[in-house]
């Protein structure tokens, strides 16, 4: 017995050691389950988290506030963020950076770069000849790109989330303005990579707001479509969005609520910041007037004094939203001279009269893009801090013709809450109730190419072709395939933005280059030489517009097919009898099973499509001869074939047609892409 017991003790120790290791692994796994969202506003950011036991909570910063100023102060060996950096703006305005998101993805000759320099002359912007962009020159030794500064802010936001969650966090959903183009979205992704964040999705802030509104009102959504307009005026810009809520039937989960972005309008420079700058200029004029005759310097030449005036203008704008007048006062504004002046709401409204005239603009744009009228809008809901200005509400109410404006949403935190809900839905660690989100393409994207045509015998000419890949207000994410079927040699094609006529002249200048990239294909001619006896099915380029609204070219391949003899084996009598018995007892294929199965993706005939707004995730064949995209189902792209193996969709076709005497056996050669990258 003694020997037996001694043999068991080590086994028990080993067993409990294994249990302890497993428990430690489980605890370590549970400590990394949290996800976060960052609502990046021009003036401030809101961070939210989801972790086990803490569903959708706004993160408090070190000052126990729910929003944090997007400000960075950079010194030789120190960095300050948030409220600490805001307090440093007075002492060291040159090294304190704010509103730098307006420079993301902008080349040096962009009008917004000049506008930023005019608004904040204390900052020295230098030209980067390699990237054709600008840097912040803090000192001769210190210079940072806007992406690097944003990376610092995102890293700081992660530290706030980790302190609040008491565990490390890597996965995040980040909000971006809906009007961000490809260059601006890629700049945000680059900044997130610098911060070590894994971006689950870049979600448009208006979409995040609409998602938050729908999630908390799920019970009010039914099969009848409800059209809601969100008017979001923040610090830097204004966005108007028309959203349709409705219960729809999904293959995965049956009837589920859905939001669809129907229309979008925006004004890139209409916001609270421009109002504050007008107030700052007014206060500076009053101060200079008070010191007139004392041979004093212009206060506008003193960066510290202007930083103080901007802070006071921000406070004054907020107070005048609730009061008819207020006394602006700053101790020791310049040269130890105090400043005190009375400002009325009427004066403020006169200063910003031209800004208030622009308030209805985004509404009209949204209605036009949605092809709707105001009568179809059930409610107009205010979002964003600048909508608290009474004159904005007055002008907007008159423009939409409603009895009242909706204020039943948290104007500051709605986007952060919607984004963190999406983060939980995308994370594998959480299970949330499905809410279908159908976002919309704001800037159409097309492919342009030139080929030689023979109009008459012996007479050749060049024909320029355009094919729309992603149409304006079409849903995304989705994949598209364009087929070039008249090329047998190496060629180039261009990926450009489509018709941007809905943008004004100034917006077009801010938008920048309409060319995304040029793709040069090599190896096409060699592929035709390699398979001279095979039938060419064209050169196929596979495009993907992902959940973040970022376009990518997945692959380009040259496809060939040949005919091979296929003699299917005769089905034995015993097998036929077994199948008959199985169907008699319910083992056969039922209509429901067939409906829920995966349909084979067939190649469409060359004919124009009826309509330009395609379903999310669909695969579309765009032929050279076709005038528009041809819809070809809603199946995702087949897995990338290896070697000469056929794509999955074509394999399935071959299997289904196995009883025919001849079947097509495709051989795939993938052409190489020598250069592909977005500016």
């Amino acid at each position: 017995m003694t020997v037996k017991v001694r043999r068991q003790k080590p086994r028990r120790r080993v067993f409990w050691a294994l249990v302890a290791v497993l428990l430690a692994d489980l605890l370590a796994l549970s400590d990394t389950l949290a996800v976060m969202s960052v609502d990046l506003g021009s003036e401030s950011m809101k961070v939210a988290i989801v972790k086990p036991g803490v569903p959708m909570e706004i993160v408090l910063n070190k000052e126990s506030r729910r929003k944090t100023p997007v400000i960075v102060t950079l010194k030789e060996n120190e960095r300050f963020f948030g409220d600490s950096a805001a307090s440093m703006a007075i002492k060291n305005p040159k090294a304190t950076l704010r509103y730098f998101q307006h420079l993301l993805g902008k080349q040096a000759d962009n009008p917004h770069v000049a506008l930023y320099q005019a608004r904040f002359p204390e900052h020295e912007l230098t030209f980067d000849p390699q990237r054709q962009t600008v840097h912040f020159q803090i000192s001769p030794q210190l210079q940072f790109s806007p992406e690097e500064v944003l990376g610092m802010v995102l890293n700081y936001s992660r530290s706030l989330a980790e302190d609040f969650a008491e565990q490390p966090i890597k996965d995040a959903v980040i909000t971006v303005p809906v009007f961000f183009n490809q260059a601006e979205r890629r700049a945000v992704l680059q900044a997130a990579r610098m911060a070590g964040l894994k971006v689950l999705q870049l979600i448009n802030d208006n979409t995040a707001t609409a998602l938050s509104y729908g999630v908390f009102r799920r019970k009010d959504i039914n099969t009848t479509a409800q059209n809601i307009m969100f008017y979001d005026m923040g610090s830097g810009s204004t966005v108007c969005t028309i959203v349709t809520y409705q219960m729809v039937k999904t293959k995965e989960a049956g009837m589920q609520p859905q939001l669809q972005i129907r229309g979008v309008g925006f004004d890139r420079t209409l916001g609270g910041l421009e109002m504050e700058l007008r107030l700052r200029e007014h206060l500076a004029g009053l101060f200079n007037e008070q010191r007139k005759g004392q041979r004093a310097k212009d206060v506008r030449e003193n960066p510290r004094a202007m930083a103080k005036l901007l802070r006071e203008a921000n406070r004054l704008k907020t107070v005048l939203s609730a009061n008819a007048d207020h006394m602006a006062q700053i101790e020791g504004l310049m040269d130890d001279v105090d400043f005190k002046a009375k400002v009325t709401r009427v004066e403020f409204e006169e200063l910003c009269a031209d800004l208030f005239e622009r308030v209805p603009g985004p509404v009209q744009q949204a209605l036009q893009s949605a092809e709707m009228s105001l009568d179809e809008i059930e409610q107009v809901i205010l979002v964003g801090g600048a909508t608290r200005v009474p004159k904005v509400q007055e002008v907007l109410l008159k423009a939409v013709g409603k009895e009242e404006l909706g204020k039943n949403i948290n104007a500051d935190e709605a986007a952060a809450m919607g984004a963190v809900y999406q983060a939980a839905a995308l994370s594998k660690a959480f299970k949330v109730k499905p809410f279908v989100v159908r976002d919309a393409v704001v800037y159409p994207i097309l492919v342009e190419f030139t080929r030689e045509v023979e109009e008459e015998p012996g007479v050749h000419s060049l024909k320029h072709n355009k094919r729309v890949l992603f149409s304006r207000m079409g849903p995304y994410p989705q994949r598209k395939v364009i087929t070039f079927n008249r090329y047998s040699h190496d060629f180039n094609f261009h990926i450009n933005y489509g018709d941007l006529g809905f943008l004004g002249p100034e917006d077009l200048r801010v938008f920048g280059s309409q060319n995304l990239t040029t793709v040069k294909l090599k190896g096409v001619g060699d592929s035709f030489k390699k398979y001279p006896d095979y039938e060419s099915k064209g050169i196929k380029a596979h495009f993907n517009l992902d959940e973040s609204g970022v376009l990518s070219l997945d692959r380009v391949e040259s496809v060939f097919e040949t005919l091979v003899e296929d003699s299917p084996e005769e089905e034995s009598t015993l097998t036929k009898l077994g199948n008959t018995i199985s169907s008699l007892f319910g083992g056969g294929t039922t209509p429901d099973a067939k409906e829920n199965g995966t349909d084979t993706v067939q190649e469409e005939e060359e004919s124009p499509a009826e309509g330009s707004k395609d379903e999310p995730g669909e695969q579309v064949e765009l032929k050279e001869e076709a005038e528009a995209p041809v819809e070809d189902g809603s199946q995702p792209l087949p897995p990338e074939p290896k070697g000469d193996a056929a794509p999955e969709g074509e394999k399935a076709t071959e299997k289904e047609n196995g009883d025919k005497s001849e079947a097509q056996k495709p051989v795939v050669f993938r052409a190489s892409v020598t250069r592909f990258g977005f500016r």
Side-chain angles (χ1 to χ4, degrees), residues 72-83:
V72 184
T73 300
L74 302 172
K75 292 187 175 182
E76 293 294 337
N77 300 315
E78 291 180 294
R79 295 177 184 176
F80 299 91
F81 300 91
D83 292 292

Side-chain angles (χ1 to χ4, degrees), residues 206-207 210 241-243 259-264 438-440 473:
N206 61 334
T207 305
T241 311
I242 298 175
V243 184
L259 72 85
Q260 180 178 359
I261 305 297
R262 298 290 301 279
V264 174
R438 297 185 66 189
D439 215 325
M473 301 315 299

